[in-house]
Amino acid sequence: MKMKLALSGLAAGIALAAFTSTAQAQERWTMTSTWPDSIDLIQIDRHWVELVNKLAGDELQIEFRAGGTLMPGTEVFDATETGSIEAAGDWPGYWAGRSSAFSPLAATPSLFNGFDYLNWIQQWGGFELYQEVYGQYDMIYLPYGITNNESGFMGRTPIESLADLDGKRLRLSGRDQGRVLERLGGSQVTLSGGEIYQAVERGVVDGAEFSTPGVDYNAGFAEVVEYWATPGWHQSASVFGVMINKDAWDALSEETQEKLKIAADATLAWSLAWSERQSTEGTVKFQEAGVEISTYGEEDMARIQEVTNEVIVEGACEDPMHAKVYHSMVSYLQHYANWRDVSVPYNMSRSFDNLPDLEAIEACL
């Protein structure tokens, strides 16, 4: 009897030790975002977090807090870099002041669409470049969101051609985007997403862009705008993702790290379809609200591409990492053209007849 009790006690002790070890091994992260609850883009962050907590819940639990509840959105980069929090959802373009290479990692003017970003990230070396750029700041980066072509400028004054941009003060995010706008005669105004509604309503700006039609409609823009100029050449697609502190990442097992990557890949595909559905529904709602939609002509679009190419090459020569990212992007477009251009009209990307000068970008590497 004593032997049985001893063995039972030993077994219980082993089980308790195993349970304690497992409990101690579970990591708990705090994650926030650049997006407050009022901006629909936060749904991409939440989708990834929910998948991670399902896939890796025994090893990692992420407590997600909406943007602005822990700190201002502008502070999440520093907080993640220093380890004050383990992770934060972002749009890379917000950090272009640190390195201009962040700009094309977030969006391109008149170049990539959403499918190009998906191809490039997954198969043409884009993922590795996110690691290289964010790695300079002791972070791992998992791209997990893509939205396709953005709405374009909306406001109370019609913009039907490039001539109508002349002298206009327009809310616009993005380093390269602002440079293109200024060469086309407009003036870039920097405002957070939460400030756009009142800025348009009060006439502080002549027009504004923010995101896709679904996001823009849910932000209330149909209440204050009368005109909408398409297409949104300033951001032909956008990428979102999660910044992860390097020490926090290294503390995870390889298996758990892989689960986070799997969740990011799944969210990447989900986000593109989600945003396209939202864009469709948002467009219908803007039309029902009486917003007048105009489209730039072919000559204007050709001019936009010409100016975009100039800005891309000049920016590449200011920063070798910026050049490296764009060199990879343009190389992808040239390579993909071997299949893309023979599959028209069923291909997933634009067919270009005017790309940024690859040799000029190479000279700046």
Side-chain angles (χ1 to χ4, degrees), residues 2-74:
K2 289 182 179 179
M3 180 63 73
K4 287 184 178 179
L5 288 173
L7 289 173
S8 298
L10 179 61
I14 292 172
L16 179 62
F19 176 80
T20 303
S21 175
T22 301
Q24 289 175 340
Q26 186 185 59
E27 297 286 336
R28 292 187 177 275
W29 285 5
T30 298
M31 174 179 167
T32 188
S33 172
T34 53
W35 312 117
D37 272 325
S38 58
I39 302 297
D40 271 2
L41 293 170
I42 198 173
Q43 293 189 43
I44 300 176
D45 299 322
R46 285 203 165 101
H47 192 273
W48 180 76
V49 172
E50 289 170 5
L51 280 181
V52 169
N53 286 343
K54 287 177 183 178
L55 293 173
D58 291 339
E59 309 112 84
L60 171 66
Q61 279 291 320
I62 299 176
E63 179 188 356
F64 181 74
R65 301 285 298 275
T69 60
L70 288 179
M71 63 194 72
T74 53

Side-chain angles (χ1 to χ4, degrees), residues 38-153:
S38 58
I39 302 297
D40 271 2
L41 293 170
I42 198 173
Q43 293 189 43
I44 300 176
D45 299 322
R46 285 203 165 101
H47 192 273
W48 180 76
V49 172
E50 289 170 5
L51 280 181
V52 169
N53 286 343
K54 287 177 183 178
L55 293 173
D58 291 339
E59 309 112 84
L60 171 66
Q61 279 291 320
I62 299 176
E63 179 188 356
F64 181 74
R65 301 285 298 275
T69 60
L70 288 179
M71 63 194 72
T74 53
E75 296 179 10
V76 301
F77 188 99
D78 288 337
T80 307
E81 181 183 10
T82 60
S84 298
I85 55 176
E86 285 79 15
D90 80 333
W91 179 67
Y94 287 140
W95 325 125
R98 299 168 183 270
S99 167
S100 61
F102 282 111
S103 186
L105 294 181
T108 58
S110 194
L111 201 67
F112 270 20
N113 67 18
F115 295 105
D116 289 317
Y117 267 116
L118 182 63
N119 288 343
W120 179 68
I121 289 169
Q122 295 278 7
Q123 293 292 325
W124 268 271
F127 182 85
E128 289 73 22
L129 285 171
Y130 284 92
Q131 308 321 309
E132 189 169 350
V133 175
Y134 278 90
Q136 297 175 93
Y137 303 90
D138 296 320
M139 287 189 274
I140 298 295
Y141 194 76
L142 301 182
Y144 60 40
I146 297 175
T147 56
N148 211 6
N149 184 213
E150 295 204 344
S151 303
F153 293 117

